[in-house]
Amino acid sequence: FLLLKLVRIIREKVSIYEDEQRIKNIFWKSFFVILLCWLPYFIVNYPGVLVYDSINQISQIEGIIEINNHHPAVHKMLISVCYNLGKSLFHSGNAGVAIYSVLQMCILSAIYSNTVAVLHKNNLKKKYCILTIAYFALIPLHAMSAITMTKDYLFAGFVLWFTVSLYQIFVNKNMS
């Protein structure tokens, strides 16, 4: 009896481990597919797309205009770190913008890949998971938003991440 119980527990643990590995594989495959599809947009628009807000933030970082609280402080610090890193490593503000663009591409790709992994974990059919990856990877809006330096797209990505996290909490009865 105890031996059968032990075998059953081990089988469950192995099954859980295999499921976790499969979910991680789906996450990483989705992540790299999305990034690969976005790469041409980054190359064509190197170092990234600057809009009025980002030009204003860079002007504040450079000390050209006075610092104000119109933009979120965390976003301004993120731009500042990337911009100053590019200037110190490559002596170019463009390199800093490129570093920011790559970072934002990775963050958004990770959020979208997490969404796909959660959908797959909750038994969404494989064809719909592939369609979801295609939606995030091939729609130009997502690629352009990933390389545009503005607070809006990161905010939207984090809202998606938060929503998926809430979904996981409500669906998973074992989570507290």
Side-chain angles (χ1 to χ4, degrees):
F1 175 75
L2 288 175
L3 184 61
L4 288 173
K5 187 85 165 165
L6 182 63
V7 168
R8 195 173 302 134
I9 290 171
I10 291 172
R11 192 178 296 153
E12 285 177 11
K13 293 287 185 188
V14 168
S15 175
I16 290 170
Y17 175 76
E18 288 173 352
D19 285 347
E20 288 175 3
Q21 286 302 111
R22 195 176 78 245
I23 297 301
K24 284 181 185 177
N25 287 340
I26 289 168
F27 172 85
W28 286 112
K29 286 177 184 175
S30 302
F31 179 81
F32 287 117
V33 164
I34 292 170
L35 276 182
L36 187 65
C37 290
W38 288 352
L39 191 59
Y41 291 89
F42 175 69
I43 292 169
V44 168
N45 294 292
Y46 180 84
V49 178
L50 298 178
V51 293
Y52 176 77
D53 283 348
S54 52
I55 294 169
N56 186 280
Q57 287 176 302
I58 289 174
S59 296
Q60 290 178 31
I61 292 165
E62 286 282 336
I64 297 169
I65 62 173
E66 185 177 306
I67 293 176
N68 59 46
N69 63 354
H70 178 71
H71 304 286
V74 173
H75 188 252
K76 195 179 306 178
M77 285 188 281
L78 181 64
I79 292 174
S80 179
V81 166
C82 294
Y83 188 76
N84 290 327
L85 183 65
K87 286 189 82 167
S88 65
L89 292 178
F90 303 105
H91 309 291
S92 168
N94 282 343
V97 173
I99 290 169
Y100 176 86
S101 295
V102 169
L103 179 65
Q104 183 166 290
M105 287 170 63
C106 289
I107 291 170
L108 290 175
S109 182
I111 291 169
Y112 298 154
S113 299
N114 178 62
T115 303
V116 171
V118 168
L119 291 173
H120 181 76
K121 183 178 180 180
N122 287 288
N123 301 319
L124 186 68
K125 290 183 180 179
K126 186 177 181 179
K127 66 181 179 180
Y128 295 122
C129 289
I130 292 171
L131 282 172
T132 305
I133 294 168
Y135 171 74
F136 289 129
L138 300 176
I139 302 291
L141 172 68
H142 297 295
M144 289 305 294
S145 65
I147 61 169
T148 301
M149 185 186 282
T150 182
K151 60 191 173 279
D152 304 330
Y153 300 119
L154 278 178
F155 177 76
F158 283 115
V159 167
L160 175 62
W161 188 26
F162 179 72
T163 304
V164 169
S165 298
L166 283 178
Y167 171 78
Q168 284 182 290
I169 290 170
F170 290 122
V171 167
N172 190 348
K173 306 294 184 213
N174 298 329
M175 263 187 180
S176 60

